Amino acid sequence: MDEVLWWLCVPFKIRLVVSLLEIEGTLAMSNSHIGSSEVDLWLLQDYKRVVWVHKYRVELPVTEISRFEKDGECWYSNVVSEERDVLVDGFDWQLHYDVKGNLLKKFQCNGCMLNYTTHILRESLVHHAFFQMQKSGGTHEPPFFQGL
């Protein structure tokens, strides 16, 4: 079978913070500015006709986020799950918000800006004892850790 690839145009302005993920079984794009109070999620509704649909916008509490970041407005926000979770990635903290902008959990990074990905390669993961322990109980992890 031959694979055909081509560029997909988007009907919106791509901002500096962009990530691709799968939502509702289709390609989705999380889109925001550095230090922005808004994160948009777009779905590719029709691949052949290149039709993108604005699914929703999450409003984040900038004042609250600023309390965690000493260096001003230097955070990156991405939608990371079908449950509309948003992960705000800063230099000192990672903050987990729900779709209504409520802080669910905070993770201290101690000055190390962490990099995360929304991609999960389930078929290629080796099932180590660590993964089995996570599934059988213990701590409840946020939805963006599911699948590990």
Side-chain angles (χ1 to χ4, degrees):
M1 181 194 298
D2 291 330
E3 226 178 352
V4 178
L5 303 171
W6 67 85
W7 288 102
L8 294 176
C9 295
V10 293
F12 51 90
K13 183 177 180 179
I14 293 182
R15 302 180 199 158
L16 291 175
V17 184
V18 178
S19 64
L20 297 175
L21 63 155
E22 182 180 330
I23 301 283
E24 299 173 3
T26 189
L27 181 66
M29 183 183 291
S30 175
N31 193 23
S32 70
H33 285 294
I34 296 173
S36 176
S37 64
E38 302 171 344
V39 183
D40 291 312
L41 185 82
W42 293 82
L43 293 180
L44 182 59
Q45 188 177 40
D46 187 332
Y47 179 73
K48 291 183 180 181
R49 294 188 186 119
V50 191
V51 176
W52 290 88
V53 175
H54 184 252
K55 186 72 173 173
Y56 57 82
R57 172 174 284 165
V58 177
E59 295 283 338
L60 297 169
V62 173
T63 306
E64 181 177 277
I65 296 170
S66 297
R67 288 186 299 146
F68 291 101
E69 289 304 315
K70 297 173 190 161
D71 297 326
E73 298 178 355
C74 291
W75 62 80
Y76 300 81
S77 304
N78 285 292
V79 175
V80 293
S81 75
E82 287 197 39
E83 289 78 17
R84 301 180 183 187
D85 293 293
V86 174
L87 198 59
V88 176
D89 190 18
F91 288 105
D92 298 313
W93 293 87
Q94 282 196 335
L95 308 171
H96 176 200
Y97 285 92
D98 67 11
V99 69
K100 295 180 181 176
N102 299 314
L103 179 63
L104 300 177
K105 197 165 185 178
K106 56 188 176 186
F107 310 90
Q108 190 162 14
C109 306
N110 297 324
C112 300
M113 192 166 195
L114 302 176
N115 291 319
Y116 60 89
T117 180
T118 55
H119 309 291
I120 299 172
L121 305 173
R122 291 187 183 130
E123 291 81 18
S124 65
L125 288 177
V126 176
H127 292 282
H128 294 286
F130 168 78
F131 296 125
Q132 298 306 321
M133 287 179 2
Q134 250 187 332
K135 290 179 185 174
S136 64
T139 62
H140 171 71
E141 296 296 342
F144 49 86
F145 288 145
Q146 291 177 353
L148 295 180

